[in-house]
Amino acid sequence: MNYEHVRETDPAIADALEGEVQRQNDTLAMIASENHVSEAVLEAQSSVLTNKYAEGYPGERYYAGCEYADEVEELAIERAKELWGAEHVNVQPHSGTQANQGVYYAVLEAGDKILSLDLNHGGHLSHGHPANFTGQFYEVEQYEVDADSGYIDYDELRAHAEEFEPDIIVSGYSAYPREVDFEAIQEAADAVDAYHLADIAHITGLVAAGVHQSPVGVADFVTGSTHKTIRAGRGGIIMCDEEYADDIDPAVFPGGQGGPLMHNVAGKAVGFKEALEPEFEEYAEQTIENAKALGDRLQEHGFELVSGGTDNHLVLVDLRPSHPDTTGKDAEEALEEVGIVLNANTVPGESRSAFNPSGIRAGTPGLTTRGFDAEACREVADIIYEVVDNYDDEDVKADAAERVDELTDEYTLYE
Ligand code: DSN
């Protein structure tokens, strides 16, 4: 990757950009929400579309000169419709959180009720956390995963809905390793006449590839991120039936956002085209197979996984049973030292804090993009075990760093 123009203008930023390329090449990106997009997506995202204002929607813009912006946005929408089978798609949200904000703004009034999964149980800040506007503008109650199984208890969720009578139920999660039964949640929503928002931010790619059940056509609204498992340009997306199009579009613009980031919309369009290729389904299947291999091997080493395993792209390790004196932060920092980049994460029944929680979350989308197979993921699990088990032993960490180097040399990324 060549940043010659930036280097000429701004050497400090060129150093940081080149450093980041090197960092991504030389480390294992296992933050479950991250991935590595193609150079085609990178080119589209850094294109001259960054210069263009295009408030409005294709064919109905508030500014002149939007013919290419229209073409790009129309292609992004068409491809998204094909990928997820949605009737209506809005590709303008700047992020998954802003996609959720668009839905809330479209159908809720301040003070309305949200029922969503607790953050410590795998939910997301934008689902009603007190630190987010959703926790302040709406009345929020939260469901939890079952304390013994780690799975969502759909009967319990429905009983909670019947008691609370929410205006909207939110499904779709950030740290839930199991397949989500969107139909069961829709039944709960129907029972109390609530909307259902399925936030598939993490699993957009798995749903598009058909390796996870889809909420499209089931839930009223489906939101997602476009840069996680789907591996397109960075941002958010909203999908819904045609009947809600006139609620959603004005809630995104002008309701919550200004001009769309057309360079990012171009990156979304290019990534969606890549995801329509047959190889993408193999990628999504391999991502899940790799997460299962990683999780199985971690369990062989004595780690406890929330829910006992995974059906998707991530595993959530509760360190307390196997390593009661090691926090998620201790593990995250020691692993980063050896080149494994994942995040400390809260776990159900969390007894520490969000900053220094009791778990680690690890995902395989980035590794799978590099070409990792199940065997390579078992090697990663072995390294994670050695490091977490000996997190202040410098010799162990030096050996682990060499093993990570061997993997990054074998499974290369950017030029
Ligand atoms: N930050 C993302 C994640 O890591 O899950 C969600 O927004």
Side-chain angles (χ1 to χ4, degrees):
M1 232 157 267
N2 187 339
Y3 295 106
E4 63 182 304
H5 297 101
V6 184
R7 178 152 298 290
E8 214 176 296
T9 306
D10 190 338
I13 292 295
D15 284 348
L17 294 177
E18 284 170 7
E20 178 61 14
V21 175
Q22 200 70 40
R23 189 193 70 77
Q24 291 190 25
N25 281 339
D26 294 350
T27 60
L28 302 181
M30 296 188 72
I31 293 176
S33 49
E34 291 185 2
N35 208 333
H36 304 286
V37 297
S38 69
E39 303 216 13
V41 171
L42 289 176
E43 269 176 28
Q45 282 202 137
S46 63
S47 65
V48 289
L49 277 170
T50 190
N51 299 331
K52 188 70 197 104
Y53 261 119
E55 278 104 326
Y57 290 97
E60 298 175 310
R61 305 285 189 185
Y62 287 83
Y63 290 107
C66 288
E67 62 267 40
Y68 297 110
D70 279 3
E71 220 170 279
V72 164
E73 189 166 344
E74 274 162 3
L75 281 168
I77 290 168
E78 259 172 46
R79 290 169 185 169
K81 284 182 175 173
E82 199 177 336
L83 275 171
W84 288 286
E87 283 183 14
H88 180 74
V89 175
N90 187 308
V91 293
Q92 292 193 7
H94 301 334
S95 70
T97 288
Q98 283 185 274
N100 290 340
Q101 181 186 319
V103 172
Y104 301 134
Y105 189 55
V107 297
L108 300 183
E109 301 286 336
D112 278 356
K113 297 179 184 177
I114 296 177
L115 179 62
S116 57
L117 185 67
D118 186 279
L119 187 67
N120 285 350
H121 290 245
H124 189 257
L125 286 167
S126 66
H127 296 177
H129 191 275
N132 183 264
F133 84 97
T134 48
Q136 296 161 24
F137 286 23
Y138 305 111
E139 185 183 341
V140 180
E141 286 200 10
Q142 302 209 288
Y143 53 98
E144 298 186 343
V145 297
D146 179 76
D148 296 323
S149 69
Y151 281 65
I152 290 166
D153 179 336
Y154 296 98
D155 293 334
E156 179 74 33
L157 190 160
R158 182 170 170 155
H160 194 158
E162 283 171 349
E163 200 193 317
F164 179 49
E165 297 185 334
D167 296 287
I168 196 165
I169 299 181
V170 183
S171 66
Y173 313 108
S174 287
Y176 183 66
R178 292 301 181 178
E179 175 130 16
V180 182
D181 186 345
F182 294 111
E183 301 217 356
I185 298 177
Q186 184 59 40
E187 280 171 24
D190 287 340
V192 296
D193 202 20
Y195 291 111
H196 176 191
L197 160 60
D199 174 354
I200 59 167
H202 267 254
I203 56 169
T204 43
L206 309 184
V207 170
V211 298
H212 187 292
Q213 63 173 271
S214 173
V216 176
V218 176
D220 300 287
F221 305 102
V222 178
T223 55
S225 305
T226 50
H227 49 277
K228 294 182 174 127
T229 44
I230 190 69
R231 220 170 42 183
R234 194 173 194 90
I237 188 169
I238 304 176
M239 297 175 258
C240 60
D241 285 348
E242 200 56 53
E243 64 172 306
Y244 294 122
D246 291 341
D247 300 307
I248 289 298
D249 288 350
V252 173
F253 170 82
Q257 294 188 170
L261 308 177
M262 288 310 306
H263 53 304
N264 275 9
V265 174
K268 291 174 189 180
V270 174
F272 294 166
K273 181 162 195 298
E274 292 171 350
L276 283 163
E277 298 298 323
E279 299 79 52
F280 189 78
E281 194 178 318
E282 286 162 34
Y283 163 73
E285 274 166 7
Q286 188 67 48
T287 299
I288 294 178
E289 192 183 322
N290 284 351
K292 286 181 190 293
L294 177 80
D296 288 349
R297 186 66 137 235
L298 288 172
Q299 288 184 111
E300 283 165 28
H301 284 302
F303 285 109
E304 185 163 310
L305 301 191
V306 173
S307 84
T310 182
D311 300 324
N312 59 26
H313 62 298
L314 67 85
V315 296
L316 184 59
V317 182
D318 185 343
L319 292 168
R320 292 173 299 185
S322 60
H323 296 81
D325 300 324
T326 306
T327 69
K329 217 41 174 181
D330 293 331
E332 178 193 287
E333 286 172 3
L335 288 164
E336 186 179 7
E337 276 181 57
V338 308
I340 293 179
V341 184
L342 46 65
N343 64 289
N345 214 94
T346 51
V347 292
E350 182 57 67
S351 41
R352 296 192 174 98
S353 72
F355 253 117
N356 195 5
S358 303
I360 49 176
R361 185 186 67 164
T364 51
L367 300 189
T368 311
T369 292
R370 294 182 84 124
F372 276 55
D373 59 11
E375 192 47 44
C377 288
R378 282 190 277 274
E379 162 72 350
V380 174
D382 292 345
I383 302 171
I384 290 175
Y385 165 67
E386 292 294 341
V387 172
V388 174
D389 209 43
N390 304 278
Y391 72 91
D392 48 10
D393 184 323
E394 297 308 320
D395 291 337
V396 168
K397 286 191 279 187
D399 177 60
E402 273 178 35
R403 290 163 72 185
V404 170
D405 282 347
E406 280 166 24
L407 288 167
T408 56
D409 287 348
E410 185 175 349
Y411 299 96
T412 54
L413 188 56
Y414 295 117
E415 290 288 313

